[in-house]
Amino acid sequence: MRFLLYANLIAIVLLAGSLARLYEGERLPWLEHRQENAVAELPAPETGDEGSVPAPAAHEPSSPLTLEQIMALQLPLPNPERAPAEAEAVAKFVPEPEPRREIVILTEGAYPPFNYRDGSDALAGFDVELSRALCERMKVRCRFVDVPWDRLVPALRQGEGDAIAASMLIPSPGRETPASGDGLILTDRYYSTPGRFAARRNAVPPAATPSGLAGRSIAVQTGSIHQAYAATRFPNAKLETFPSLEEAKTALVAGEADLLFADRNALLRWTSSGAGVCCRLVGPDYGDAAYFGKGAAIVLREEDAALRDAFDAALDAAIADGTYARISAKYFSGSIY
């Protein structure tokens, strides 16, 4: 490399010197040699009447190059000061890593309507469809793999996938989740899980305040966070407990309770189906994180912070342009963000 640099430098110096001689009107040595040979090969001139030989024309110097002609040559000159720095920069250059072309997303495949296998045995559901839309915005391919719930986090840690999208809740004080372990990071929430009241469509629901619900009957599932919250927030209400959410729904339909308090997303799903056509959601969302958590997030390994940030940016864009609302409406009767 250094030898080539010096060779080029010598060649350029010689060429520059030749140009200088031309500019001063002096013939170049190799041109003078060719001129002498040409004169020697000419035949001897015939003598005139006077027996004299005409004198050869005096040598006329070449016209000097103009400044414009010299500048037009655009000869690059080496810069000894820059050469070492440029060589060092080349030696230190490290190409950027190739962007991800495929992301493997782990999901449970057994929690409808969030993730399940459809009639063609393909993974489907809100988690899957939203994740696919985010991948499209990130310009990467998504491949979904179903893993049993208790193996999702171990599979992620072992590199069997790049992310978990399986309605895994965000940990909060006093509310541990599988995503609570070290070495894991989470996206922003992609849906929330507040509590909500449902009432019969033909009934006038009472005001959802401690005084408005005093003496009113509220159906809740036994041992649920909704029972615990209703007992604390509405201490003067009458709680009717049932072993399952389905039984609590039945009690509301039959008029055995004035209201049903349960997970908003489950109630949205129910009231948008034929079985729940009798009823509607009333009152506000109750999102106290101590009871209902902070929502669900996509889970990743801590070394994949850049991928986490890409998911967050794609989610913000999907919410802003209505993509999120469209996907949510397909599985629920409203947005679950």
Side-chain angles (χ1 to χ4, degrees):
M1 184 74 177
R2 186 172 298 174
F3 171 77
L4 292 176
L5 179 62
Y6 290 152
N8 288 334
L9 178 60
I10 292 170
I12 292 171
V13 169
L14 291 176
L15 182 56
S18 300
L19 289 174
R21 294 183 66 182
L22 278 175
Y23 182 72
E24 294 172 356
E26 183 180 346
R27 295 192 64 79
L28 299 176
W30 56 85
L31 292 180
E32 293 176 353
H33 178 68
R34 289 176 56 191
Q35 180 65 25
E36 290 171 2
N37 290 342
V39 171
E41 293 172 2
L42 289 175
E46 297 181 0
T47 58
D49 294 339
E50 299 164 354
S52 61
V53 179
H59 169 68
E60 296 179 1
S62 302
S63 301
L65 294 176
T66 66
L67 178 61
E68 290 76 7
Q69 289 172 322
I70 294 174
M71 295 300 294
L73 292 175
Q74 296 288 318
L75 294 174
L77 296 178
N79 187 339
E81 296 179 357
R82 287 179 54 188
E86 291 173 351
E88 183 179 357
V90 171
K92 290 183 177 180
F93 174 72
V94 178
E96 290 290 331
E98 286 293 322
R100 293 172 184 263
R101 293 296 179 232
E102 181 181 78
I103 294 175
V104 177
I105 298 182
L106 307 177
T107 192
E108 184 185 12
Y111 185 52
F114 293 96
N115 54 80
Y116 58 92
R117 287 198 173 273
D118 62 16
S120 62
D121 201 35
L123 285 169
F126 178 78
D127 293 339
V128 175
E129 188 165 346
L130 179 62
S131 297
R132 186 175 288 116
L134 300 184
C135 287
E136 290 176 1
R137 288 184 178 276
M138 295 157 56
K139 295 182 171 34
V140 296
R141 292 187 298 272
C142 277
R143 180 164 61 89
F144 294 87
V145 177
D146 59 325
V147 177
W149 176 259
D150 59 354
R151 281 211 66 249
L152 282 170
V153 170
L156 177 67
R157 292 184 186 279
Q158 293 166 14
E160 297 176 26
D162 300 296
I164 298 172
S167 292
M168 195 162 284
L169 297 179
I170 300 170
S172 59
R175 189 181 179 90
E176 297 297 314
T177 78
S180 302
D182 294 335
L184 302 176
I185 56 175
L186 293 85
T187 63
D188 294 336
R189 79 165 197 267
Y190 66 91
Y191 72 82
S192 58
T193 56
R196 188 82 178 263
F197 283 110
R200 293 183 299 280
R201 290 187 181 275
N202 59 358
V204 178
T209 63
S211 59
L213 293 180
R216 298 300 187 106
S217 59
I218 302 174
V220 292
Q221 183 178 355
T222 304
S224 66
I225 57 174
H226 303 91
Q227 178 187 2
Y229 183 81
T232 302
R233 181 70 184 270
F234 310 107
N236 296 320
K238 181 181 178 182
L239 299 186
E240 302 288 348
T241 59
F242 298 88
S244 68
L245 178 58
E246 291 303 316
E247 291 175 271
K249 292 176 184 175
T250 301
L252 176 66
V253 174
E256 297 174 9
D258 297 315
L259 295 166
L260 166 63
F261 188 64
D263 176 69
R264 178 205 58 192
N265 301 334
L267 293 178
L268 280 171
R269 182 79 171 169
W270 177 55
T271 55
S272 63
S273 67
V277 69
C278 62
C279 305
R280 60 192 174 93
L281 271 65
V282 295
D285 287 346
Y286 296 90
D288 189 332
Y291 287 89
F292 308 112
K294 298 178 180 179
I298 296 173
V299 185
L300 308 94
R301 293 180 294 271
E302 63 180 357
E303 59 266 29
D304 289 329
L307 180 57
R308 184 268 316 273
D309 294 344
F311 270 121
D312 283 340
L315 177 61
D316 289 342
I319 292 170
D321 72 0
T323 300
Y324 183 97
R326 175 180 57 79
I327 296 173
S328 183
K330 181 176 178 179
Y331 298 94
F332 307 93
S333 59
S335 173
I336 62 171
Y337 184 71

